[in-house]
Amino acid sequence: MYITNYRRRFNAVFILFFIIFVICILRLLYIQFFRSQYLNALANKQHNLFVEIEPRRGAIYDSTMHPLAINISVDSVYASPKDMQEDKKDNAARRLSSILYLDYDSVREKLSRKKSFVWVARKITPEQSLKLRAEKIKGIGLIKETKRCYPNSYLAAHVVGFAGLDNSGLEGIEAKCDQYLKGQPGWAIFLRDARQNKLDFGQEMMLPKDGNDVILTIDEVIQYIAERELDKVFKHYRANGASIIVMDPHTGAILALANRPSYDLNNYSKSSKDDIRNRAIADMFEPGSVFKIVTACASLEENKVKETDRFYCENGAYYIAGHILHDHTSHGWLAFSEVIEQSSNIGTCKAAQVLGAPLLYRYIKLFGFGNKLGIDISGEISGMVRDLRVWSKTSITAVPMGQEVGVTALQLVSAISVIANGGQLMKPYLIKEIRDKYAETLKSFSPVLIRKVISIDTAVRVRNILTGVVEKGTGTLAKMDSVKAAGKTGTAQKIEGRGYSHSKFMASFVGFAPAEDPKIAIVVVVDEPHGSYYGGVVSAPVFKKVAEDSLKYLNTKQLPVGLEAK
């Protein structure tokens, strides 16, 4: 009896252990064949630390290799909540929020996460780094990262643009050339022990590929001159906005481009969309009398009018197509050259009637109005030129003097450059070269001819007329002592509701210098100046000062007053 019970117990225990053994074998087989990849990945994650190595973002330089955008090394703050004691997290959050100027609740929430790594703040100031190091908060560490820095702050802000926290371009050249500037990140995998401590040797590594440098056509000195004078007129006339572009008329290279209001590239997050908007290429406006250069070129090119042809300007009031066209000053008989010099609306209208609407429309399009010019930066608009089929009976009186059309400052400076360079419409451009970190040129950009617009003979004839505008016409405040300049004034009423405002104007001036051998073309546009609003009074003096100092710099390489202290 005893032996029988013993055997039964023995068999029961044996069967139990056998079943357990079979279950273990099955479990091992399941793990081996169905869970091996998952567990292997989990082990790698626990014992291998993957670190992304950030590449150096390429720098941006002006045409003389002065830096406009560079990188600096800064600290970023991270936390390891798992390594922190719960009762000390409240105090750590208070200290961090005080030093880093962060919301306490936000910091406390990050410290509550069940993670080994959490970003607390990225790319902090050196002062904040020193304070944090002195605090020696357990579970809080610093990692070196690179931060985009703009040495000149506001200078060329709308050209250079800015890069975000992750060093990706968001505006301007930073965004347009992001593919060249950004580079490719590298990586490294480090072994960790059972306590998650990083060992001193790496298992695998791939070095990052640094970004390339971008060299612009912008000249830092001319940019400074342009911004200095634009800032003065913007503040003096309490304007709503202002733009200036300085261009090499023979190549289309932009030497300076600026807008007001502007913003600090190193503190772009506090700027409004209005500050960041590149008005020079993104704002459309009726140009007013500066547009008369198109009518003049078309009339002379088609031999419809000569400089000496005389037009009766109706003593300032001309009844046509059911409405009265006015001049700002009463004139009787004027030669066509005098019509442009004195900016007579009536004389220009009569010349356009001789030319005819189809030819006028054709030359407007030839000059590039109504289409994008293709500048190598984002934000350019095409402006507005209505199709000839929808012109009204009064369009032939309005369009020749710059109404019923919408243009940009970039289109105006390109148009005046046609006259300056002998009749060619050049594609405007800002990017000169792409270079690698060893200063080897990877890609270069050359002037591009869009099309021939007028003959050299016509360009010279219109150049002489525009010289008269500055010497004895509406643009005398653009007259320089050392060299002759050529240009055209413009004063345009802004559209308000269904009509034109009598209190809001666009004051503009386009010109080039020296008149006989143009080196620079300039457009100045001031939006809603207060006090005075005529282009010849508001914008022409800006042209004069910018042209004088820029030509002096180009001829002698002598820095203008004020720049030496930079």
Side-chain angles (χ1 to χ4, degrees), residues 30-253:
Y30 171 74
I31 292 173
Q32 179 65 32
F33 292 104
F34 297 100
R35 299 281 287 173
S36 59
Q37 290 184 348
Y38 166 76
L39 293 172
N40 186 56
L42 184 62
N44 285 333
K45 184 176 180 181
Q46 292 174 343
H47 295 288
N48 294 291
L49 175 64
F50 179 86
V51 178
E52 186 175 281
I53 305 173
E54 187 180 50
R56 179 194 72 92
R57 185 172 178 84
I60 299 176
Y61 297 95
D62 83 331
S63 60
T64 61
M65 296 307 295
H66 287 108
L68 300 174
I70 57 175
N71 302 295
I72 58 174
S73 180
V74 294
D75 287 319
S76 288
V77 187
Y78 73 91
S80 180
K82 282 187 175 182
D83 296 334
M84 302 177 71
Q85 298 177 10
E86 283 296 327
D87 59 344
K88 294 186 177 180
K89 288 184 178 180
D90 286 337
N91 183 49
R94 279 192 291 271
R95 291 155 71 187
L96 286 169
S97 60
S98 175
I99 295 171
L100 301 174
Y101 307 113
L102 297 175
D103 178 64
Y104 167 80
D105 292 333
S106 175
V107 176
R108 185 65 182 87
E109 186 276 327
K110 290 179 180 179
L111 299 185
S112 300
R113 298 176 189 175
K114 303 297 183 182
K115 293 186 176 182
S116 298
F117 184 94
V118 176
W119 282 119
V120 177
R122 303 282 300 277
K123 303 180 180 180
I124 63 175
T125 65
E127 293 78 11
Q128 291 172 327
S129 295
L130 289 173
K131 290 180 181 179
L132 272 180
R133 292 181 194 280
E135 289 286 336
K136 296 180 180 179
I137 304 172
K138 185 177 181 181
I140 302 299
L142 298 173
I143 294 178
K144 285 292 182 183
E145 290 194 288
T146 59
K147 181 181 179 181
R148 205 60 164 166
C149 177
Y150 304 94
N152 298 314
S153 187
Y154 288 84
L155 195 74
H158 295 94
V159 174
V160 177
F162 52 84
L165 201 62
D166 61 351
N167 275 343
S168 293
L170 300 177
E171 285 287 339
I173 293 297
E174 290 276 32
K176 185 69 176 180
C177 295
D178 194 53
Q179 59 177 320
Y180 299 113
L181 292 165
K182 193 169 186 178
Q184 297 178 1
W187 51 265
I189 297 177
F190 296 95
L191 292 178
R192 294 191 290 190
D193 61 19
R195 294 187 177 183
Q196 304 293 293
N197 294 315
K198 188 174 72 173
L199 302 178
D200 291 334
F201 56 91
Q203 190 177 27
E204 293 182 63
M205 177 179 287
M206 186 180 78
L207 294 175
K209 182 180 179 181
D210 290 337
N212 300 308
D213 298 332
V214 175
I215 293 87
L216 304 180
T217 59
I218 294 290
D219 187 300
E220 185 184 50
V221 175
I222 297 177
Q223 181 74 31
Y224 168 78
I225 295 168
E227 295 211 29
R228 180 191 66 192
E229 299 305 318
L230 190 70
D231 200 56
K232 287 179 183 178
V233 73
F234 174 69
K235 291 176 179 177
H236 179 76
Y237 288 101
R238 307 183 309 282
N240 185 52
S243 298
I244 187 170
I245 301 175
V246 183
M247 177 189 281
D248 181 336
H250 300 284
T251 65

Side-chain angles (χ1 to χ4, degrees), residues 425-487:
L425 180 64
M426 304 300 297
K427 180 181 177 180
Y429 68 105
L430 282 160
I431 304 170
K432 182 180 178 182
E433 284 183 55
I434 307 293
R435 295 181 184 177
D436 63 19
K437 63 180 181 180
Y438 305 108
E440 293 292 328
T441 300
L442 303 176
K443 195 172 184 180
S444 60
F445 300 87
S446 303
V448 175
L449 172 65
I450 297 177
R451 58 181 160 268
K452 184 76 173 177
V453 179
I454 56 176
S455 66
I456 295 177
D457 178 66
T458 299
V460 171
R461 292 165 68 188
V462 176
R463 184 187 304 176
N464 291 334
I465 293 174
L466 297 183
T467 302
V469 171
V470 175
E471 293 294 314
K472 54 187 176 181
T474 57
T476 53
L477 290 181
K479 186 177 180 180
M480 295 179 279
D481 297 329
S482 54
V483 298
K484 283 190 176 183

Side-chain angles (χ1 to χ4, degrees), residues 310-382:
R310 295 173 65 78
F311 293 89
Y312 182 57
C313 296
E314 308 290 340
N315 292 316
Y318 180 37
Y319 185 82
I320 181 173
H323 79 289
I324 300 176
L325 180 64
H326 293 280
D327 273 343
H328 67 283
T329 302
S330 297
H331 298 290
W333 287 94
L334 291 176
F336 182 63
S337 59
E338 295 173 321
V339 166
I340 303 301
E341 288 172 3
Q342 302 303 321
S343 200
S344 169
N345 295 332
I346 296 170
T348 303
C349 169
K350 289 188 174 184
Q353 287 177 306
V354 174
L355 176 67
L359 282 176
L360 176 61
Y361 177 80
R362 176 171 173 263
Y363 278 90
I364 290 172
K365 300 298 287 185
L366 282 174
F367 269 91
F369 295 104
N371 295 99
K372 293 181 180 180
L373 294 168
I375 189 171
D376 43 4
I377 193 172
S378 300
E380 182 191 6
I381 64 170
S382 60

Side-chain angles (χ1 to χ4, degrees), residues 284 286 369-371 381-386 404-407 411:
M284 178 178 72
E286 286 195 351
F369 295 104
N371 295 99
I381 64 170
S382 60
M384 187 276 293
V385 176
R386 293 191 303 154
E404 296 187 14
V405 293
V407 306
Q411 290 173 336

Side-chain angles (χ1 to χ4, degrees), residues 517-534:
D517 182 23
K519 288 184 172 61
I520 52 174
I522 303 172
V523 61
V524 182
V525 180
V526 181
D527 181 7
E528 291 187 30
H530 293 86
S532 182
Y533 55 82
Y534 289 111

